[in-house]
């Protein structure tokens, strides 16, 4: 896992679910400390702009990161890597760049904007803590710079340096055979450190829980999204899913990993080990070994356990990967997934297309899992667990309700956290207009592309109004976004405020 906080001095967006109504309200609220961060960034900029041309380029930024850091382990090379990452992430967010680098105005705007993005998916108290931490760090940085206390690179010590530091007969202690062997043979601890570096975990960019992105990803990998696609939901209630056609094939949950959820996972794995339980037959499961691959693995679990309905195209990734790995164990499939260059490329493309332009290290505490129905059993499919987890009998009619019961358990682990998101895999909406109420058992909706009934409209307008959005503005935003509450919130804050 990685740190939850915003990295300083390059605050970045916290990737995660697209803003939910409650989360977006936090973005609208005033962020105490943000103005102070902005003022400090303006004061710090001239120290990074060593060319004094009003811009900071990659080389200047790398040098700035190095000299302002108090972390001894941050070498010049690592500092330059940080600078390169800063420019990459800024470019992905369409920050204006010139041959000279980034201007002072864009430098400040980009970094303060990241805190606004954080506020969309983070509890207010967490955002306040991160802002306070940033203020403290920038103040310390500015103090060191104004007092000339910037960090200098320490010279590398060699055997000669070590000998000079020892008084008296230091030379006799490092001379002859011992000195020769010390210079040519690595110490035991050094070998261990080297070995750890060789098995460094592979990391991908994280995915956003955005059905449009996930559908595009599925299509590239072989699923005909004119027939089946992922849908947003409005809540874990019948009203919140009334627009979803049936049958629902899978549920994908994005949730924050917490101490409570980890404790439950460890206890569950312990019970599996003690009972010597075997993985259920006919359920396709992949273990996660690649960092931030959980989104891809959740999609794999959703698709490869519904091949009879989805029927991915021959020769495309899903069909080929299933054929190559169907007789493998979960761990062997994980190895095959990690070695698939085609999948890694497609994953990166869709990850970079996300609105949050995710930084992999900052996404490590959010995790995707899937729920599927197989042989009339509800299974939880998690790459961080050794096998599919059975949650008992289910049916086509009760699958969604049964899956949502498990979703609520995860929500109970972090009741104040808003970084939950759920999308469901089902037929494309315009393929089944009866699901909106034209046939038996339906009611209360409208076909895809149209407005829901008057009661549903009022409910969605009220939900946005409860966040402080004027009712008329809420109605406009909803009509502009096909009555999607989630997208309406985004539309309002992006286009109608101010």
């Amino acid at each position: 896992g990685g740190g939850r906080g915003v990295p300083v001095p390059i605050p970045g967006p916290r990737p995660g679910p697209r803003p939910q109504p409650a989360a977006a309200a936090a973005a609208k609220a005033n962020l105490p400390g943000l103005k102070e961060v902005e003022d400090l960034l303006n004061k710090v900029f001239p120290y990074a702009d060593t060319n004094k041309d009003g811009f900071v380029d990659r080389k200047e930024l790398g040098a700035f990161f190095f000299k302002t850091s108090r972390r001894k382990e941050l070498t010049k090379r690592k500092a330059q890597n940080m600078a390169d990452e800063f420019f990459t992430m800024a470019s992905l967010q369409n920050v204006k760049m010139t041959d000279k680098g980034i201007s002072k105005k864009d430098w400040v705007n980009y970094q303060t904007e990241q805190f606004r993005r954080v506020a969309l998916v983070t509890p207010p108290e967490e955002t306040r803590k991160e802002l306070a931490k940033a203020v403290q760090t920038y103040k310390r940085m500015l103090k060191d710079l104004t007092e000339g206390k910037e960090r200098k690179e320490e010279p590398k010590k060699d055997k000669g340096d070590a000998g000079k530091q020892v008084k008296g007969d230091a030379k006799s202690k490092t001379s002859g055979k011992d000195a020769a062997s010390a210079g040519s043979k690595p110490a035991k601890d050094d070998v261990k450190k080297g070995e750890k570096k060789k098995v460094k975990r592979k990391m991908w960019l994280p995915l956003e829980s955005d059905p449009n992105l996930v559908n595009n990803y599925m299509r590239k990998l072989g699923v005909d999204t004119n027939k089946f696609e992922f849908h947003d939901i409005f809540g874990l209630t019948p009203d919140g899913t009334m627009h979803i056609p049936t049958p629902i094939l899978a549920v994908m949950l994005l949730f924050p990993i917490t101490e409570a959820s980890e404790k439950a996972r460890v206890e569950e794995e312990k019970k599996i080990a003690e009972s010597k339980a075997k993985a259920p037959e006919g359920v396709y499961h992949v273990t996660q070994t690649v960092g931030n691959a959980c989104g891809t693995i959740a999609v794999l679990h959703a698709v490869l356990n519904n091949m009879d309905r989805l029927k991915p195209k021959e020769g495309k990734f899903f069909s080929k990967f299933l054929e190559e790995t169907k007789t493998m164990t979960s761990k062997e499939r994980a190895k095959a997934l990690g070695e698939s260059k085609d999948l890694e490329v497609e994953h990166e493309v869709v990850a970079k297309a996300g609105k949050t332009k995710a930084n992999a290290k900052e996404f490590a505490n959010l995790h995707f899992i899937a729920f599927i129905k197989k042989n009339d059993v509800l299974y939880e499919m998690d790459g961080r667990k050794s096998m599919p987890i059975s949650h008992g009998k289910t049916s086509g009619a009760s699958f969604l309700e049964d899956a949502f019961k498990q979703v609520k358990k995860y929500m109970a682990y972090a009741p104040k956290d808003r970084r939950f998101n759920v999308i469901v895999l089902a037929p494309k909406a315009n393929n089944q207009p009866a699901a909106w109420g034209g046939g038996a058992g339906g009611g209360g909706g409208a076909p895809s592309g149209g407005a829901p009934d008057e009661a549903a409209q009022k409910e969605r307008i009220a939900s946005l109004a409860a966040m402080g959005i004027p009712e008329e503005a809420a109605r406009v935003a909803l009509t502009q976004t096909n009555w999607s509450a989630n997208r309406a919130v985004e539309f309002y804050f992006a286009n109608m405020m101010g």
Side-chain angles (χ1 to χ4, degrees), residues 420-487:
F420 290 87
N421 203 39
V422 174
I423 56 177
V424 300
L425 180 59
K428 193 174 182 69
N430 58 12
N431 283 351
Q432 290 199 5
W436 284 92
S448 177
D453 65 21
E454 187 177 353
Q457 289 183 30
K458 287 181 178 179
E459 182 182 352
R460 292 177 199 176
I461 290 171
S463 70
L464 269 64
M467 298 162 41
I469 299 176
E471 285 193 12
E472 189 54 39
R475 179 180 291 277
V476 171
L478 284 162
T479 56
Q480 289 290 325
T481 56
N482 198 26
W483 291 88
S484 165
N486 289 347
R487 293 193 183 99

Side-chain angles (χ1 to χ4, degrees), residues 170 176 232 374 450 486:
D232 261 329
K374 199 77 171 177
N486 289 347

Side-chain angles (χ1 to χ4, degrees), residues 186-200:
K188 217 172 190 180
D189 290 342
D190 291 335
V191 172
K192 286 181 181 177
K193 287 178 183 176
E195 288 174 350
K196 285 181 181 178
K197 288 180 181 178
K198 289 178 185 176
V199 293
K200 187 176 180 181

Side-chain angles (χ1 to χ4, degrees), residues 238-239 241-246 397 432-446 453:
D239 284 346
T241 57
M242 65 182 181
H243 61 293
I244 309 291
T246 57
Q432 290 199 5
W436 284 92
D453 65 21

Side-chain angles (χ1 to χ4, degrees), residues 255-402:
F255 68 94
I257 295 173
T258 63
E259 187 176 342
S261 67
E262 280 298 276
K263 183 180 178 182
R265 183 182 68 85
V266 171
E267 288 176 354
E268 191 170 52
E269 287 292 292
K270 186 179 178 182
K271 288 178 182 178
I272 290 172
E274 290 174 349
S275 66
K276 297 182 180 178
K278 292 185 179 180
E281 291 186 12
V283 182
Y284 189 96
H285 180 261
V286 185
T287 302
Q288 182 182 347
T289 55
V290 177
N292 292 320
C294 56
T296 286
I297 289 173
V299 173
L300 279 174
H301 285 150
V303 172
L304 298 187
N305 283 295
N306 285 289
M307 293 290 280
D308 56 332
R309 286 185 176 274
L310 297 174
K311 296 181 173 58
K313 296 175 184 176
E314 292 294 327
K316 292 287 189 176
F317 174 81
F318 283 130
S319 295
K320 290 196 298 183
F321 191 74
L322 179 62
E323 185 62 32
E324 293 167 1
T325 63
K326 60 185 178 183
T327 60
M328 294 181 179
T329 65
S330 292
K331 290 183 178 179
E332 289 169 341
R333 289 166 182 163
K335 187 172 185 293
L337 182 146
E339 292 174 350
S340 174
K341 295 297 181 186
D342 290 342
L343 181 62
E344 185 174 355
V345 168
E346 293 296 349
H347 176 109
E348 185 173 2
V349 168
V350 74
K352 286 182 176 179
K355 293 180 182 178
T356 52
K357 304 302 183 294
N359 180 329
K361 292 181 180 178
E362 297 159 23
F363 191 76
N365 69 314
L366 294 175
H367 186 58
F368 277 104
I369 60 174
F371 295 93
I372 62 159
K373 179 179 77 73
K374 199 77 171 177
N375 303 322
D376 294 325
V377 175
L378 173 66
Y379 286 106
E380 177 183 328
M381 309 297 293
D382 186 346
R384 297 179 72 234
K385 295 180 179 179
S386 57
M387 65 174 66
I389 305 300
S390 170
H391 289 299
K393 288 288 183 179
T394 191
S395 67
S398 67
F399 168 63
L400 195 58
E401 181 183 356
D402 295 336

Side-chain angles (χ1 to χ4, degrees), residues 20-328:
Q20 301 295 306
K28 182 186 177 186
N30 181 42
L31 297 178
L34 189 60
K35 184 64 171 66
E36 190 171 6
V37 167
E38 185 178 336
D39 292 342
L40 287 166
L41 282 167
N42 276 301
K43 292 177 182 177
V44 163
F45 182 87
Y47 292 96
D49 179 18
T50 53
N51 291 333
K52 304 303 178 189
D53 58 2
F55 291 84
V56 168
D57 60 26
R58 290 173 183 261
K59 189 174 180 181
E60 286 176 306
L61 191 59
F64 176 75
F65 284 164
F66 175 78
K67 72 182 182 182
T68 56
S69 175
R70 288 184 176 178
R71 291 162 43 209
K72 290 186 178 180
E73 67 272 18
L74 184 71
T75 62
K76 283 189 174 181
R77 178 177 291 181
K78 288 180 180 178
Q80 189 57 56
N81 288 341
M82 284 174 60
D84 291 340
E85 183 182 9
F86 176 96
F87 273 83
T88 299
M89 299 303 291
S91 297
L92 286 170
Q93 293 187 41
N94 299 317
V95 175
K96 186 178 178 181
M97 300 288 178
T98 71
D99 293 339
K100 294 181 179 180
I102 185 171
S103 69
K104 181 179 181 179
K105 179 182 177 181
D106 290 328
W107 147 287
V108 174
N109 288 345
Y110 168 64
Q111 297 191 72
T112 52
E113 176 61 21
Q114 306 319 302
F115 286 103
R116 296 187 182 94
R117 288 171 175 261
V118 166
L120 288 172
V121 291
T122 310
E125 60 272 17
E126 291 257 345
T127 305
R128 284 194 291 270
K129 285 179 184 177
E130 288 169 356
L131 276 165
K133 182 180 177 183
V135 167
Q136 185 180 11
T137 300
Y138 288 130
K139 280 184 175 178
R140 187 273 303 163
M141 189 187 299
L142 192 61
K143 184 173 183 292
D144 286 352
L145 289 166
T146 54
E147 294 178 0
K149 293 181 180 178
E150 59 192 55
R151 177 184 168 212
K152 303 290 191 299
E153 187 167 24
E154 295 180 10
K156 293 182 179 179
K157 293 181 181 180
D158 56 30
K159 295 298 171 183
D161 293 331
K164 290 173 186 175
Q165 292 174 9
V166 181
K167 295 180 180 180
D169 61 346
K171 288 183 180 179
S172 64
K173 293 182 181 179
T174 58
S175 62
K177 187 177 179 180
D178 290 339
S181 62
S184 60
K185 190 176 181 180
K188 217 172 190 180
D189 290 342
D190 291 335
V191 172
K192 286 181 181 177
K193 287 178 183 176
E195 288 174 350
K196 285 181 181 178
K197 288 180 181 178
K198 289 178 185 176
V199 293
K200 187 176 180 181
R201 191 185 189 197
K202 190 173 188 177
M203 298 292 287
W204 288 359
L205 289 172
L207 296 183
E208 266 185 38
S209 186
D210 181 336
N212 292 326
L213 293 178
V214 177
N215 290 335
N216 184 43
Y217 192 25
M218 281 204 308
R219 184 168 57 253
K220 289 184 175 181
L221 299 180
V223 171
D224 184 355
T225 51
N226 287 318
K227 295 179 179 178
F228 288 89
E229 65 180 4
F230 276 97
H231 302 256
D232 261 329
I233 66 167
F234 304 135
L236 305 179
T237 63
D239 284 346
T241 57
M242 65 182 181
H243 61 293
I244 309 291
T246 57
I248 292 173
L249 305 185
V251 173
M252 265 177 64
L253 166 67
L254 180 70
F255 68 94
I257 295 173
T258 63
E259 187 176 342
S261 67
E262 280 298 276
K263 183 180 178 182
R265 183 182 68 85
V266 171
E267 288 176 354
E268 191 170 52
E269 287 292 292
K270 186 179 178 182
K271 288 178 182 178
I272 290 172
E274 290 174 349
S275 66
K276 297 182 180 178
K278 292 185 179 180
E281 291 186 12
V283 182
Y284 189 96
H285 180 261
V286 185
T287 302
Q288 182 182 347
T289 55
V290 177
N292 292 320
C294 56
T296 286
I297 289 173
V299 173
L300 279 174
H301 285 150
V303 172
L304 298 187
N305 283 295
N306 285 289
M307 293 290 280
D308 56 332
R309 286 185 176 274
L310 297 174
K311 296 181 173 58
K313 296 175 184 176
E314 292 294 327
K316 292 287 189 176
F317 174 81
F318 283 130
S319 295
K320 290 196 298 183
F321 191 74
L322 179 62
E323 185 62 32
E324 293 167 1
T325 63
K326 60 185 178 183
T327 60
M328 294 181 179

